[in-house]
Amino acid sequence: MFRNQYDTDVTTWSPTGRLFQVEYAMEAVKQGSAAIGLRSRSHVVLACVNKAQSELSSHQKKIFKVDDHIGVAIAGLTADGRVLSRYMRSESINHSFTYESPLPVGRLVVHLADKAQVCTQRSWKRPYGVGLLVGGLDESGAHLYYNCPSGNYFEYQAFAIGSRSQAAKTYLERRFESFGDSSREDLIKDAILAVRETLQGETLKSSLCTVSVLGVGEPFHFLDQETIQKVIDTFEKVPEEEEGEAEAAAPAEQGGGSGSGDQDVAPMEM
């Protein structure tokens, strides 16, 4: 049997009980540029890798503002991500207009998951080929959710999706226990370090990543490239300084050893 006999629409099940179009959508998320989210008790930081298709083109926007208290980072098909971000923005505005209060993050995520799941039940539709990291702040605190193309959603302390995201997950798994009490600056630093893990040897520059922050008394906004570059410089220069100190100490030790040897030899020559 050939797989293409069972992937013509999303409601055709394979003999092994799989929906190939849903799996294709989830694979599209893995092929997209990496997106990373972290949260503490008071702040949420979203970061993504800026990857252009060629040297002659600019990168596509991967982080979107939904409301002052909600932002979303995407990995996968950018067009689908823009459609869903507009839907989230519309839901947030309608709730604010009707109830005169901000939309709770968890309720918005449920609406988003329901919208994605409907696309796995209609033969004339296709699953959204995008994964979303939804970060927000409401009365119950800071939240970070991952919405899957299949309609599933999960809440995380920190998470990474997209291409080479496993390296970032490994870094976050080592550090996640400290994120709850982390300050705003520490969260930003950890987010940028996680982005660096996904580059696999490529030099990290502010032009290669986008970082956004929201928190208590701080509406959702993007960090400018100068601020990001300053954070990068803080941990990029430390190894260089340690290497320079080690190289300076090595000749001093060698010189001290030769001097002590001369003193030992001098009485013998006399």
Side-chain angles (χ1 to χ4, degrees):
M1 296 182 183
F2 296 98
R3 172 176 291 190
N4 58 13
Q5 293 177 345
Y6 304 101
D7 63 0
T8 54
D9 63 72
V10 76
T11 58
T12 300
W13 297 81
S14 74
T16 56
R18 298 164 64 184
L19 289 174
F20 288 121
Q21 284 209 2
V22 176
E23 293 184 12
Y24 296 162
M26 297 176 73
E27 186 63 28
V29 177
K30 296 178 183 179
Q31 298 296 328
S33 57
I36 296 163
L38 304 86
R39 72 176 174 92
S40 65
R41 291 188 176 89
S42 59
H43 287 81
V44 180
V45 175
L46 299 174
C48 70
V49 178
N50 299 334
K51 284 292 185 181
Q53 294 295 325
S54 70
E55 295 181 357
L56 300 178
S57 66
S58 62
H59 65 273
Q60 293 188 349
K61 188 177 179 181
K62 296 289 184 178
I63 301 179
F64 302 95
K65 177 182 178 180
V66 176
D67 203 342
D68 285 340
H69 68 296
I70 299 176
V72 58
I74 68 170
L77 298 179
T78 309
D80 288 356
R82 287 196 294 265
V83 169
L84 292 177
S85 66
R86 282 198 298 268
Y87 167 77
M88 296 168 66
R89 197 173 295 123
S90 176
E91 288 291 310
S92 182
I93 292 173
N94 290 338
H95 185 278
S96 298
F97 180 79
T98 304
Y99 300 102
E100 297 183 358
S101 63
L103 176 61
V105 183
R107 188 177 303 175
L108 177 60
V109 170
V110 171
H111 293 334
L112 182 63
D114 289 342
K115 183 177 179 64
Q117 206 269 334
V118 166
C119 294
T120 67
Q121 296 178 317
R122 306 288 186 268
S123 61
W124 60 88
K125 291 189 176 184
R126 65 167 179 82
Y128 290 107
V130 64
L132 299 100
L133 290 176
V134 183
L137 186 72
D138 54 25
E139 294 179 351
S140 59
H143 301 278
L144 177 68
Y145 292 90
Y146 169 53
N147 278 75
C148 188
S150 64
N152 291 323
Y153 62 93
F154 310 91
E155 186 170 9
Y156 289 93
Q157 185 74 40
F159 199 59
I161 57 176
S163 176
R164 301 175 182 172
S165 62
Q166 186 56 51
K169 287 179 185 177
T170 302
Y171 173 82
L172 296 173
E173 287 170 358
R174 295 198 306 263
R175 298 271 301 160
F176 81 96
E177 292 181 353
S178 64
F179 291 160
D181 300 322
S182 292
S183 64
R184 173 184 180 274
E185 288 71 21
D186 290 338
L187 273 186
I188 294 172
K189 182 178 179 180
D190 283 320
I192 295 176
L193 284 170
V195 169
R196 185 178 67 170
E197 295 294 323
T198 67
L199 299 178
Q200 291 188 346
E202 188 176 352
T203 303
L204 178 62
K205 297 180 291 186
S206 60
S207 59
L208 291 179
C209 63
T210 301
V211 181
S212 63
V213 185
L214 65 91
V216 177
E218 184 177 11
F220 179 90
H221 68 283
F222 294 92
L223 298 183
D224 56 69
Q225 289 194 351
E226 293 182 0
T227 303
I228 297 174
Q229 190 60 50
K230 288 180 181 178
V231 176
I232 294 173
D233 291 341
T234 58
F235 56 77
E236 288 289 355
K237 289 182 179 179
V238 170
E240 296 178 0
E241 292 175 356
E242 292 178 352
E243 291 178 1
E245 292 175 358
E247 292 176 357
E253 293 176 357
Q254 293 175 359
S258 61
S260 61
D262 292 339
Q263 291 176 358
D264 294 337
V265 173
M268 295 175 64
E269 291 177 349
M270 290 173 66

